[in-house]
Amino acid sequence: MTRGERRPGRSSWSVRIASVRGIPIEIHASFLLLVVFMGWRTTTSAGLAAAAAEQVLVLAVFVCVALHELGHAIVARRNGVPIAGITLYPFGGVARMARRPPQGMVEVVIAAAGPLVNLAIAATILVVSGGAAAGMSGGLWSRLVGMLLWANLILAFFNLLPAFPLDGGRILRGLLTLRLGWIRATVWAGSIGQVAAALLLLLGVIFDPWLILAGILILPAANAELRYALLLRQLAGRRVGDLVRGELITVDGAATISEVSELSVASPLADFLVSDRGRVVGYLSAPRLWSVLRSDRPATARVAAIVDELARPIPATAPVEDAIGLFDPAGPEVAPVVEVDGSIVGVVAIGDLLRAVQIARRATAADAPSAADDSP
Ligand SMILES: [Zn+2]
């Protein structure tokens, strides 16, 4: 499984156990609890030898899950997608991507890499054992190798189910993106994921409680991705150029604060771009100017001394949801918005973009049922 990270960082319940090619691998505390619980249960019911064999199998499956995630991580990095780390949970792992997952064929290739690792391990066991492992017969250890073979096949095929957020769902979305675009593809894949989770819950009630667990794991992630896609659909079509702040006056950095304040009296709503030899060097909002005027800073000081730094320019045609990612979280909060020819049409603050997303989110929550009706 892979996950796009909107909030980099790691779970506080995870412990780092290794680092492979610079990719940190963490293990979630619940995994250790499960190992201890299984060891205790099998020791009391079947004896120490059986418990030891079980622990070896758990460890081996754990390594296979880690290799599955490393498969995702290494292929992702080769495709220019940075990986924040891998976290291993009792029922699988997650390779956390440091930004939104890539779209189209790149997503397909990254998602397919994990199950392919498990299929490769299963094929290797099959070949080395001369096919004997598939029968799971013989002594304790050869049965163990057989179980490892089947565990890898189950890992591969379960993850290949076309149910978002499993790898199969991502492969499906990647392929659908080629025809439908990312948003519609995600609405489709998220909806299919919901249906698959509901089916697993139903089959779990009839056949095997483990399927209930799988359904419970899939459902929230499918819901979250679907909501995110519906949100982006609300925003779809909104461009940064639609959100630029109104009136802008460009002044030279050599102008004094009192000269700029006279301009502000004439146009009280205007913000200022401050230029130096034709190049924009900073931004001065009307509220900031007023607070400077109320301070005891001399009115003869240069305006260049009180400007705010600007973030990198953003194209007016950029979609709102993409533009949010163009701001450096530690950098300036206001960016110039530019036309294709480089001319500045205005400025936009990260807060303006986030507010637009919030409004779209509220609209999404309000019309989610109807939005779901017309989606796929
Ligand atoms: Zn996977």
Side-chain angles (χ1 to χ4, degrees), residues 90-123:
F91 302 102
V94 167
R96 288 174 285 115
M97 289 187 254
R99 61 174 164 83
R100 245 171 63 191
Q103 303 175 6
M105 279 317 286
V106 178
E107 178 169 43
V108 173
V109 172
I110 294 173
L116 279 178
V117 168
N118 296 114
L119 288 177
I121 295 171

Side-chain angles (χ1 to χ4, degrees), residues 1-2 68-69 72 114-115 159 167:
M1 201 183 279
T2 53
H68 170 114
E69 299 305 331
H72 288 310
N159 275 292
D167 296 328

Side-chain angles (χ1 to χ4, degrees), residues 165-189:
L166 296 178
D167 296 328
R170 292 185 188 280
I171 292 171
L172 175 71
R173 176 174 70 181
L175 293 173
L176 288 175
T177 300
L178 302 177
R179 300 230 23 190
L180 304 176
W182 189 85
I183 292 175
R184 284 185 65 202
T186 303
V187 172
W188 266 90

